[in-house]
């Protein structure tokens, strides 16, 4: 829909246009920002030293089979590694396995392990450890559990092989194996108890836990037995907890820390243009979204959800709050993942009249009052919340904003103790099944991302998509799923996020991944 003349728009629309102008300038500044690593310096990589990495949340649990949030996941993936992984473009690559084969019928997956793999304590990795790890993943019934119908896992130590046989074809299986939750750990925890093991875990990854405060900092040292020869280059890596965006940026600019996990979109152009800092950006598998608790009577009403979707100018919100670093969302699956419907035109467009009509057809034609829950400390979400509040006031819905600290926020929405909320969806692997399962499976770990949304047709299509080979037929299944989700709106995808990391200009070799994690084994710091 074409925008109306700014002078005729209500206050919040005029504010959006003002911010959008700033966003346009930011976008121009970002046009040349790096997609992976900044241009290398003339200096040869320098081994040694410590890289200090600022994060907004501390790692408080390192059990790969029970965790899901980024604060833990992106520490866990430095310790444990999987048979296969993905590169910065999301392509699946061999990792602990030097090669793999899939049978023509899609039932048998054969992996040959690299020779000489060792854990960080110097002990040899055994093929049996892979079996133990994958079976524990399933037994734990955790948030990123392998859902493939695994019939058997057979190992041959002499041949260094792991053969996994499925009961029926499961197309996303290889993709599932790329996630941090599919990492390999020693059988029986190397003779320790589970609790003892995960306080000081042993893995094949490039980093080893040295010191750890679950409510503060985490210090890694290099794994002297890492299978990638000569890596990591650094001696140590420190995750330092700084619970404020502004402090992160200030300490980065001052050179007090070497890199930060997240650059706020509003500051991306500043980091990119500053000679002392470098912006590392790229496409991601993340989507900023508005989630409805469909157990609440108002949000169980599809007409209410559709009314809200029509009332929000997502293009304006995206420009105003991401400053040219993101794209307004039009489907659940982002364009960086196969079978996205981003360009299919399924989304409900910005149309206030249509919003009012939908509300009139709902059980709440005169409007209602609801609370929008957000986590504090996130300036972008606070701004989105204010725009949502002002936008919905136009159609008679009164919104109160409740901002609470991140830990309490997570507890609340996981207990379904909210009306609707701002949060992000994140795929952990390059196949569309992961995101669809997490956000549309009412019997899954998250109960459709804690919305309790249930649609039998979506559930049936979801299962069909898992067994259908890649190709046009599978693509149509995921297009149909996204069409239904766009029509019924259990959540509103707001924008597709970019990964935005910041470093000082002396840092080189970081590899940004589309799941927003970073690989540090090639990182080095100029002297």
């Amino acid at each position: 829909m074409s925008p109306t003349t700014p002078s005729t728009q209500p206050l919040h629309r005029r504010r959006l246009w003002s911010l959008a102008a700033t966003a346009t300038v930011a976008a121009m500044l970002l046009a040349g920002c790096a997609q992976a690593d900044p241009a290398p310096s003339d200096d040869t990589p320098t081994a040694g030293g410590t890289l200090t990495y600022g994060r907004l949340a501390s790692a408080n649990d390192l059990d790969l089979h029970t965790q899901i949030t980024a604060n833990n996941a992106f520490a866990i993936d430095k310790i444990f590694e999987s048979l296969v992984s993905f590169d910065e473009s999301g392509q699946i690559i061999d990792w602990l396995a030097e090669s793999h084969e899939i049978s023509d019928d899609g039932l048998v997956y054969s992996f040959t392990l690299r020779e000489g793999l060792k854990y960080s304590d110097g002990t040899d990795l055994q093929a049996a450890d892979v079996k133990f790890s994958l079976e524990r993943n399933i037994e734990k019934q955790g948030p990123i559990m392998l859902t493939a119908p695994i019939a058997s896992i057979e190992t041959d130590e002499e041949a260094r092989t792991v053969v996994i046989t499925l009961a029926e074809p499961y197309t996303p299986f290889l993709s599932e194996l790329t996630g941090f939750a599919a990492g390999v750990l020693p059988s029986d925890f190397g003779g320790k108890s589970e609790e003892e093991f995960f306080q000081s875990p042993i893995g094949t990854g490039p980093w080893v836990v040295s010191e750890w405060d679950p409510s503060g900092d985490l210090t890694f040292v290099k794994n002297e037995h890492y299978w990638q020869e000569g890596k990591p280059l650094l001696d140590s890596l420190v995750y330092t907890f700084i619970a404020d965006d502004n402090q992160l940026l200030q300490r980065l600019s001052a050179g007090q820390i070497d890199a930060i996990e997240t650059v706020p979109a509003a500051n991306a152009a500043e980091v990119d243009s500053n000679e002392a800092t470098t912006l590392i950006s790229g496409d991601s598998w993340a989507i900023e979204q508005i989630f409805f608790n469909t157990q609440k009577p108002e949000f169980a009403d599809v007409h209410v959800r559709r009314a809200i979707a029509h009332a929000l100018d997502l293009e304006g919100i995206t420009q105003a709050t991401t400053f040219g670093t993101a794209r307004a969302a039009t489907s659940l699956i982002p364009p960086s993942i196969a079978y996205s419907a981003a360009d299919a035109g399924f989304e409900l467009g910005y149309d206030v009249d249509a919003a009012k009509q939908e509300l009139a057809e709902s059980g709440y034609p005169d409007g209602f009052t609801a609370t929008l829950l957000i986590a504090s400390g996130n300036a972008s979400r606070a701004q989105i919340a204010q725009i949502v509040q002002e936008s919905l006031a136009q159609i008679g819905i009164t919104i109160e904003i409740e901002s609470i600290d991140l830990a309490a926020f997570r507890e609340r929405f996981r207990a379904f103790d909210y009306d609707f909320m701002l949060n992000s969806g994140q795929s952990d692997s390059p196949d569309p099944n992961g995101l669809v399962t997490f956000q549309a499976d009412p019997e899954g770990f998250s109960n459709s991302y804690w919305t309790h949304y249930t649609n039998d047709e979506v559930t049936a299509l979801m299962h069909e998509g898992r067994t259908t080979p890649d190709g046009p037929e599978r693509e149509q299944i995921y297009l149909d799923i996204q069409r239904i989700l766009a029509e019924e709106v259990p959540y509103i995808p707001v924008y597709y996020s970019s990964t935005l990391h910041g470093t000082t200009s002396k840092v080189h070799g970081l590899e940004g991944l589309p799941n927003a994690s970073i690989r540090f084994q090639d990182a080095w710091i100029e002297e």
Side-chain angles (χ1 to χ4, degrees), residues 5-234:
T5 305
S7 61
T8 65
Q9 296 164 351
L11 176 61
H12 83 281
R13 285 288 290 160
R14 294 202 298 272
R15 183 183 305 161
L16 282 177
W17 274 96
S18 174
L19 288 166
T22 303
T24 301
V25 175
M28 294 172 65
L29 290 171
L30 286 168
C33 72
Q35 289 301 305
D37 187 47
S41 73
D42 294 333
D43 296 332
T44 302
T46 303
T50 297
L51 188 148
T52 302
Y53 189 54
R55 310 182 80 207
L56 288 169
S58 58
N60 56 34
D61 195 317
L62 299 177
D63 187 337
L64 71 169
H65 297 142
T66 64
Q67 299 305 302
I68 186 172
T69 53
N71 61 313
N72 293 324
F74 299 156
I76 290 169
D77 67 4
K78 307 300 178 284
I79 304 166
F80 303 105
E81 296 181 312
S82 47
L83 293 170
V84 287
S85 187
F86 49 82
D87 62 18
E88 60 188 18
S89 65
Q91 296 300 306
I92 295 176
I93 54 178
D94 289 313
W95 205 251
L96 291 184
E98 65 180 14
S99 64
H100 70 272
E101 294 181 359
I102 305 173
S103 63
D104 291 340
D105 60 7
L107 296 178
V108 182
Y109 289 70
S110 302
F111 300 89
T112 301
L113 298 173
R114 296 181 186 275
E115 190 171 1
L117 289 172
K118 291 181 180 295
Y119 291 108
S120 56
D121 65 353
T123 58
D124 293 332
L125 181 145
Q126 305 291 330
D129 297 340
V130 179
K131 175 181 173 68
F132 170 81
S133 302
L134 298 183
E135 288 179 344
R136 182 178 188 266
N137 173 294
I138 297 168
E139 291 168 2
K140 277 292 184 180
Q141 299 281 305
I144 311 183
M145 182 185 75
L146 295 172
T147 54
I150 297 176
S152 67
I153 303 175
E154 298 177 355
T155 63
D156 185 327
E157 298 297 346
E158 185 175 347
R160 309 193 317 278
T161 58
V162 178
V163 179
I164 305 172
T165 302
L166 307 183
E168 63 179 0
Y170 188 87
T171 304
F173 182 47
L174 195 65
S175 178
E176 283 190 1
L177 289 176
T178 66
F180 73 90
V184 179
L185 64 157
S187 298
D188 299 319
F189 312 104
K192 300 179 181 178
S193 67
E194 286 191 35
E195 182 179 1
E196 184 182 10
F197 177 83
F198 286 111
Q199 288 175 353
S200 184
I202 300 299
T204 64
W207 302 102
V208 187
V209 174
S210 173
E211 298 178 25
W212 176 31
D213 176 359
S215 61
D217 296 352
L218 170 60
T219 298
F220 296 104
V221 294
K222 67 186 298 182
N223 177 1
E224 299 289 352
H225 303 281
Y226 193 47
W227 58 273
Q228 293 188 29
E229 187 175 355
K231 300 178 183 178
L233 296 174
L234 296 165

Side-chain angles (χ1 to χ4, degrees), residues 406-468:
L406 183 60
F409 173 76
R410 287 172 175 160
E411 290 180 4
R412 286 275 298 277
F413 75 72
R414 288 175 176 175
F416 289 92
D417 183 15
Y418 76 101
D419 294 341
F420 69 139
M421 67 169 171
L422 285 172
N423 209 340
S424 61
Q426 168 75 59
S427 181
D428 296 293
S429 59
D431 190 276
N433 173 72
L435 198 54
V436 168
T437 295
F438 202 72
Q439 293 206 191
D441 186 353
E443 296 181 354
F445 170 83
S446 69
N447 294 111
S448 299
Y449 207 116
W450 296 280
T451 64
H452 225 284
Y453 169 74
T454 303
N455 180 294
D456 291 341
E457 184 179 1
V458 169
T459 301
L461 286 168
M462 177 182 66
H463 288 289
E464 188 178 350
R466 293 170 179 169
T467 58
T468 303

Side-chain angles (χ1 to χ4, degrees), residues 75 97 129 153 235 239 292 314 329 337 339 361 382 394 411 452 473 494:
D129 297 340
I153 303 175
D235 289 332
Y239 280 6
F292 298 105
L314 300 185
I337 294 178
Y339 311 140
E361 295 176 18
Q394 292 185 98
E411 290 180 4
H452 225 284
E473 184 179 351
V494 178

